[in-house]
Amino acid sequence: MSIHCVNLEDTLNYVSISDVHASPDGNCVLYRTHCPIADKNTYEHQTILRTPETTYILEETILGSPIWTDIDTFFASVSTDTHAVVLTKYTGNAHESIGEIPYPLHLVEVLDENRFLLLGDVDLRFKHALERGMEKEDAAFQIAQENEDCIIAEEFPFWSDGVGITNGHRNLLFLFDRRSGLQALTEEWFSTEQAVYDQKTDTVYYTGYSYMVQKPLQLGLYKRPLKELYEGYERGQAEGKNLLENQGYQISNIGVCEGKLVLLGRKNQEEKTGIFLLDIQTEQIENLITFEIDPGTSVFTDVAYGNTRQWQVRDGKIYFTGTWEETSELYSVELSGQMKKLTSLGGIVHGFSVSNRGIYLVAMKGLEHQELYWLAKEELSEESPAAPEAITDYNRSFYEKKTLSIPEPYTWTDKYGFLIAGYVLHPVNQKPGVRYPAILNIHGGPRGAYGAVYFHEMQYWAANGYFVLFCNPTGSTGRGNAFKKIIGGCGGSDYEDIMGFVDFVLERIPEIDPARLGVTGGSYGGFMTNWILGHSNRFAAAVSQRSTANNITEAANKDIAPGFIRSMTEPDAQDKYEKLWEGSPLRFIDKNTHTPTLFLHSLQDYRCYHVEALQMYAAFQYLHIPTRMVLFKNESHSLSRNGHPRNRIRRLREITEWMDRYLKQ
């Protein structure tokens, strides 16, 4: 039988799906596809409209997501002629331009036939220039010139990974009224995270924070009765009362349901997440439900591009994706507090859109790539979770042709009593009686998890004669709230779990050569790789990707620095630098370190800045340990998932060749 193994070029041989939005009746659905194009070193993005009769591609470059009403579709798009942002209404095949918007805003909600809620990132310099009467093109040119020669920072943090420099930028919330034009709902230093509309009270509720220098750690919840706009509302007016002030809530999602604001989050930094209800009339808050599952999709893969909603409040129910054990599925909660698991795909539900007839989902099932799935309303009423049906086949030809390594599950119990789950991929061409090298792959986070889904880099290593080991140590999601607390901090129980998992697997698979072990990981996985380098020499090779090494410099450079430093010490503590240094991998790199190590990093990675890799690389050079560093230009923290196609291939080639050099030769 011919074996068609996964190869390097297959890094780009897939189609991703995102931004799924169903029409209210469920007969139509809009979504985006993303396909890497190697020769152009970019991605082809298409907006697809699927109807009962046909499927076709929309020409507009849509900002954000479309909004359906019963008969119309609305969205903000970029004009191909003027490059202006235009608010557009589609009815059947006819379209109507509602108005032009000076900022790159996306549509949040259609309030009625005249009013539209919009949100987007605005450079305040551009906003002020327009308010002074400057033409848009002139204002944009002036700002581009200012940005060409230097970066100015007056805020902290002043950049964001995957976005760029954010100094002087805010997510501004606007109301567009066809009768009176565009009007700000928030003061200009306020940055809005989410917004929802309550039709009964004609009020917009939104989360966010106002700041001029340092971004606050906690979101506030505010309301703006729209009647204020017509009763003397003054521009620049303060946000008013924070409905959650001094109550300790950390809110990630909001919605409106039957006279209640529905809030997803936690209170007082407790690890238990839940859903809370805030009565719109009394503004009193109550707990509806807390749960052990982790809301959101946190099972990792490297073949998914783009985002789809993972939270929706509709028809008296709350829908959300959640991660439990090693899968991410779809769940619902009634206002009575009853929770139900709706799907049993055994993989990853990346997002969904609910309609009257059922639910569209973007998901990966087992070792299959992403497809669009359909879950009929009748199946939702059944007691047990349903298995949605795939209604697209963008990627079927790939996994039908390739010979893949099936993840073999292993579990063991650590000394703290936690069940550590993991997997092993066997070499695709494994021969009896032959010993093979192995690569330990450590996931990022640490909030996140590996599952038995398609992960390209690991399938590629298995196709090239490696065992691949991967597990979910304490700190990972999917095993309950107590499991997410790393005993002893990063480098404590998580390190013990990872090393213990390796021991456990080696005892059970004699075909793995213990003298030819490699280790790699990115982000938190890069931190752990660096930590291992200073605490063990059992690995013959290592590749540290987008890593952290020195908590002191990380606290200064990270785009989420304020929250990061508070998770480890108080910013004004007398011994804060000592505490940060104590948990830094760089501290342990010394003459006892011997593992040859490749350091990979992106120059525009603002989550883990490349100075972290530079420090590790320099330490290895001073100690005369074999090392190499590759810095990727014009890439962010997400290089392995949505970086430029050629760089994604180069990254995987660099890792594999480094492992081959020290584990095969």
Side-chain angles (χ1 to χ4, degrees):
M1 181 179 70
S2 177
I3 295 179
H4 298 279
C5 293
V6 171
N7 58 50
L8 193 60
E9 286 68 30
D10 288 330
T11 305
L12 313 179
N13 191 9
Y14 68 95
V15 175
S16 287
I17 303 172
S18 72
D19 298 289
V20 174
H21 284 266
S23 62
D25 61 13
N27 290 325
C28 302
V29 61
L30 270 165
Y31 60 93
R32 287 196 180 105
T33 59
H34 315 274
C35 182
I37 307 297
D39 57 351
K40 296 181 179 179
N41 199 30
T42 187
Y43 293 80
E44 180 183 66
H45 308 285
Q46 294 183 330
T47 301
I48 310 294
L49 175 59
R50 183 185 176 106
T51 72
E53 295 79 26
T54 187
T55 298
Y56 58 93
I57 301 170
L58 298 185
E59 297 299 326
E60 290 83 0
T61 303
I62 297 178
L63 299 177
S65 302
I67 303 293
W68 295 86
T69 63
D70 288 337
I71 58 174
D72 301 315
T73 310
F74 296 86
F75 54 78
S77 63
V78 179
S79 168
T80 54
D81 298 325
T82 66
H83 302 291
V85 178
V86 180
L87 193 59
T88 305
K89 179 177 80 170
Y90 262 81
T91 305
N93 292 324
H95 68 276
E96 172 191 354
S97 176
I98 294 172
E100 189 172 306
I101 303 163
Y103 311 114
L105 308 177
H106 64 268
L107 192 58
V108 175
E109 198 155 347
V110 177
L111 309 190
D112 54 41
E113 64 179 10
N114 290 311
R115 299 182 303 165
F116 306 86
L117 198 61
L118 298 142
L119 176 66
D121 175 72
V122 176
D123 187 330
L124 296 182
R125 292 174 299 171
F126 181 74
K127 180 174 181 288
H128 296 160
L130 296 188
E131 291 170 350
R132 293 193 302 269
M134 187 178 290
E135 294 294 328
K136 285 192 301 182
E137 293 77 10
D138 295 336
F141 179 75
Q142 177 178 301
I143 292 170
Q145 281 193 315
E146 291 176 2
N147 293 340
E148 188 173 336
D149 297 324
C150 61
I151 295 172
I152 298 173
E154 299 171 317
E155 303 171 0
F156 185 68
F158 59 90
W159 54 28
S160 178
D161 188 67
V163 177
I165 305 303
T166 57
N167 193 82
H169 286 241
R170 296 294 184 271
N171 281 325
L172 299 185
L173 184 63
F174 292 89
L175 179 74
F176 180 81
D177 192 318
R178 298 174 78 168
R179 299 159 298 191
S180 56
L182 190 69
Q183 188 163 3
L185 294 184
T186 55
E187 55 95 4
E188 67 178 13
W189 292 102
F190 189 92
S191 196
T192 304
E193 291 293 313
Q194 293 187 49
V196 295
Y197 174 67
D198 178 49
Q199 187 175 32
K200 288 183 179 179
T201 60
D202 197 29
T203 299
V204 175
Y205 291 86
Y206 52 99
T207 60
Y209 27 58
S210 181
Y211 68 101
M212 296 187 71
V213 178
Q214 189 171 140
K215 182 187 291 187
L217 293 176
Q218 203 161 330
L219 295 173
L221 174 64
Y222 301 87
K223 70 176 182 180
R224 177 70 70 200
L226 294 185
K227 68 178 182 179
E228 292 181 353
L229 296 179
Y230 310 102
E231 296 179 359
Y233 172 87
E234 295 181 6
R235 193 164 132 208
Q237 178 179 327
E239 299 313 309
K241 180 183 177 183
N242 176 3
L243 301 180
L244 300 178
E245 190 152 15
N246 300 322
Q247 297 187 58
Y249 288 98
Q250 297 182 358
I251 301 301
S252 58
N253 291 95
I254 60 175
V256 175
C257 186
E258 299 182 7
K260 310 278 188 182
L261 271 184
V262 184
L263 313 174
L264 176 68
R266 53 188 178 148
K267 188 177 182 181
N268 299 326
Q269 297 190 1
E270 295 176 356
E271 286 298 323
K272 276 199 173 184
T273 302
I275 294 175
F276 304 88
L277 300 179
L278 187 145
D279 189 288
I280 286 175
Q281 296 299 324
T282 67
E283 297 183 356
Q284 296 298 305
I285 191 168
E286 61 176 316
N287 175 257
L288 177 64
I289 183 176
T290 55
F291 29 68
E292 290 286 325
I293 67 169
D294 290 286
T297 298
S298 54
V299 174
F300 292 114
T301 181
D302 57 356
V303 289
Y305 187 109
N307 299 299
T308 297
R309 79 169 90 190
Q310 298 178 0
W311 163 270
Q312 188 175 359
V313 179
R314 193 180 195 276
D315 300 331
K317 286 187 179 180
I318 304 150
Y319 299 87
F320 61 95
T321 62
T323 299
W324 181 247
E325 295 184 345
E326 289 71 56
T327 65
S328 294
E329 303 282 0
L330 181 63
Y331 295 82
S332 70
V333 172
E334 308 266 359
L335 287 184
S336 63
Q338 181 181 359
M339 186 169 74
K340 182 181 179 182
K341 181 181 177 183
L342 300 179
T343 60
S344 60
L345 273 166
I348 309 175
V349 175
H350 283 109
F352 63 92
S353 183
V354 181
S355 71
N356 296 337
R357 290 198 311 116
I359 303 175
Y360 291 93
L361 308 100
V362 178
M364 294 175 65
K365 180 180 179 181
L367 293 178
E368 300 174 9
H369 286 50
Q370 277 187 334
E371 298 293 353
L372 187 64
Y373 286 78
W374 169 251
L375 182 59
K377 184 176 181 179
E378 296 74 30
E379 297 178 87
L380 297 174
S381 60
E382 298 177 3
E383 289 187 11
S384 58
E389 171 192 1
I391 58 174
T392 61
D393 59 356
Y394 289 108
N395 297 296
R396 181 174 300 166
S397 62
F398 173 80
Y399 56 79
E400 285 182 347
K401 292 177 182 178
K402 297 293 181 178
T403 301
L404 303 178
S405 181
I406 308 301
E408 187 174 83
Y410 286 85
T411 58
W412 74 288
T413 303
D414 71 7
K415 70 180 186 181
Y416 304 102
F418 290 117
L419 187 70
I420 307 302
Y423 300 90
V424 174
L425 298 183
H426 286 246
V428 170
N429 57 352
Q430 185 177 359
K431 298 176 182 177
V434 177
R435 302 191 97 185
Y436 292 87
I439 298 173
L440 169 67
N441 202 9
I442 305 171
H443 69 62
R447 300 291 190 264
Y450 280 135
V453 297
Y454 185 88
F455 211 109
H456 178 73
E457 64 186 36
M458 292 194 275
Q459 289 291 339
Y460 178 65
W461 297 329
N464 280 272
Y466 287 96
F467 280 93
V468 185
L469 287 59
F470 50 109
C471 71
N472 297 317
T474 46
S476 304
T477 52
R479 290 278 170 180
N481 295 301
F483 190 86
K484 288 187 291 188
K485 297 177 182 177
I486 300 173
I487 300 170
C490 291
S493 62
D494 50 351
Y495 169 74
E496 296 171 355
D497 292 340
I498 291 168
M499 301 299 274
F501 180 77
V502 173
D503 293 335
F504 183 83
V505 169
L506 291 181
E507 290 173 2
R508 284 154 182 79
I509 306 180
E511 292 85 357
I512 297 177
D513 186 347
R516 293 190 291 158
L517 300 179
V519 60
T520 188
S523 194
Y524 162 78
F527 161 89
M528 185 53 67
T529 299
N530 291 345
W531 188 266
I532 288 171
L533 293 171
H535 289 80
S536 172
N537 284 308
R538 76 181 302 176
F539 295 96
V543 180
S544 178
Q545 308 171 59
R546 56 190 185 279
S547 69
T548 63
N550 182 341
N551 291 333
I552 296 174
T553 53
E554 186 182 10
N557 298 316
K558 212 173 183 68
D559 64 349
I560 54 172
F564 166 77
I565 191 171
R566 283 192 182 276
S567 70
M568 306 186 72
T569 182
E570 288 299 320
D572 56 354
Q574 190 72 28
D575 62 345
K576 62 179 179 294
Y577 293 117
E578 289 81 359
K579 287 184 177 179
L580 290 170
W581 181 242
E582 283 175 9
S584 299
L586 184 64
R587 174 184 170 217
F588 301 96
I589 302 302
D590 56 25
K591 62 182 180 181
N592 297 312
T593 304
H594 303 299
T595 308
T597 303
L598 167 66
F599 296 97
L600 301 181
H601 223 105
S602 299
L603 289 176
Q604 277 70 51
D605 184 342
Y606 300 137
R607 181 61 42 84
C608 301
Y609 201 45
H610 65 271
V611 68
E612 302 298 308
L614 292 173
Q615 291 175 84
M616 290 292 291
Y617 175 75
F620 272 56
Q621 286 286 8
Y622 286 131
L623 292 167
H624 306 290
I625 306 168
T627 188
R628 172 181 170 89
M629 182 169 64
V630 179
L631 301 175
F632 291 92
K633 299 178 181 179
N634 304 313
E635 298 292 358
S636 71
H637 195 65
S638 297
L639 164 63
S640 64
R641 299 180 290 274
N642 54 36
H644 292 87
R646 285 202 293 267
N647 282 341
R648 290 180 64 188
I649 290 177
R650 175 66 181 270
R651 166 194 165 271
L652 186 52
R653 180 187 292 119
E654 288 280 352
I655 297 171
T656 308
E657 289 179 351
W658 187 264
M659 294 296 185
D660 287 348
R661 182 187 306 179
Y662 291 98
L663 304 184
K664 286 186 175 180
Q665 296 179 7

